[in-house]
Amino acid sequence: LMLIIPADLSLYNEFRLWKDEPTMDRTCPFLDKIYQEDIFPCLTFSKSELASAVLEAVENNTLSIEPVGLQPIRFVKASAVECGGPKKCALTGQSKSCKHRIKLGDSSNYYYISPFCRYRITSVCNFFTYIRYIQQGLVKQQDVDQMFWEVMQLRKEMSLAKLGYFKEEL
């Protein structure tokens, strides 16, 4: 077994403390650092009001993403409002082909998003899903070091997404 010492020892120590009493409070040192370095930059879009609503939905686990065009027209509620469109991203305002749309919480509004924005959102969602699993005691097969390396892998995904790298098929 090879011992790998984390490059960011202070984050490692903050994670160990967090893991002993896991919280979703963004002001705890471990989460605060990840919010500042990864989450906020990943979810910063030119449409800042909508971007804030996206972050809130991600934190509350109430954001849904679905492919565009799979919904039979007759089932679309008349009250549903679609923002952006198949050719315009609601988060950036740019003309992009949007193959997915998001819905925030109980809202009946759908927002079309580009693949770039989708990857940024899903990378943050993946991080939140994993730390929620730890908080809920669902990660049992891994020791604290393995958990930390998984967190680092998820941070790497957020960094790649933030830089504009995304897998077209995601």
Side-chain angles (χ1 to χ4, degrees), residues 10-131:
S10 66
L11 184 68
Y12 176 74
N13 290 327
E14 287 165 1
F15 173 75
R16 290 185 67 106
L17 287 171
W18 175 84
K19 197 205 154 293
D20 290 340
E21 289 181 48
T23 174
M24 297 305 286
D25 177 5
R26 67 162 77 166
T27 62
C28 78
F30 165 66
L31 287 181
D32 180 57
K33 182 169 182 137
I34 292 175
Y35 265 90
Q36 299 306 323
E37 294 181 4
D38 304 309
I39 296 168
F40 290 143
C42 223
L43 295 183
T44 297
F45 299 102
S46 55
K47 306 291 182 185
S48 57
E49 209 171 296
L50 180 56
S52 296
V54 166
L55 173 59
E56 191 179 324
V58 170
E59 289 174 325
N60 295 330
N61 204 15
T62 58
L63 179 135
S64 59
I65 301 179
E66 60 185 40
V68 171
L70 297 183
Q71 305 77 24
I73 296 300
R74 66 182 177 275
F75 292 125
V76 175
K77 283 190 261 168
S79 62
V81 178
E82 299 201 337
C83 307
K87 302 256 181 266
K88 186 170 186 175
C89 179
L91 281 164
T92 63
Q94 295 175 341
S95 296
K96 297 277 182 198
S97 177
C98 300
K99 298 184 174 99
H100 291 84
R101 63 186 191 173
I102 57 173
K103 197 169 123 166
L104 311 175
D106 297 336
S107 167
S108 57
N109 296 356
Y110 287 97
Y111 300 92
Y112 284 83
I113 56 168
S114 65
F116 170 62
C117 293
R118 178 179 180 233
Y119 188 35
R120 287 169 69 169
I121 293 167
T122 55
S123 68
V124 175
C125 287
N126 291 341
F127 170 77
F128 272 102
T129 298
Y130 186 69
I131 63 167

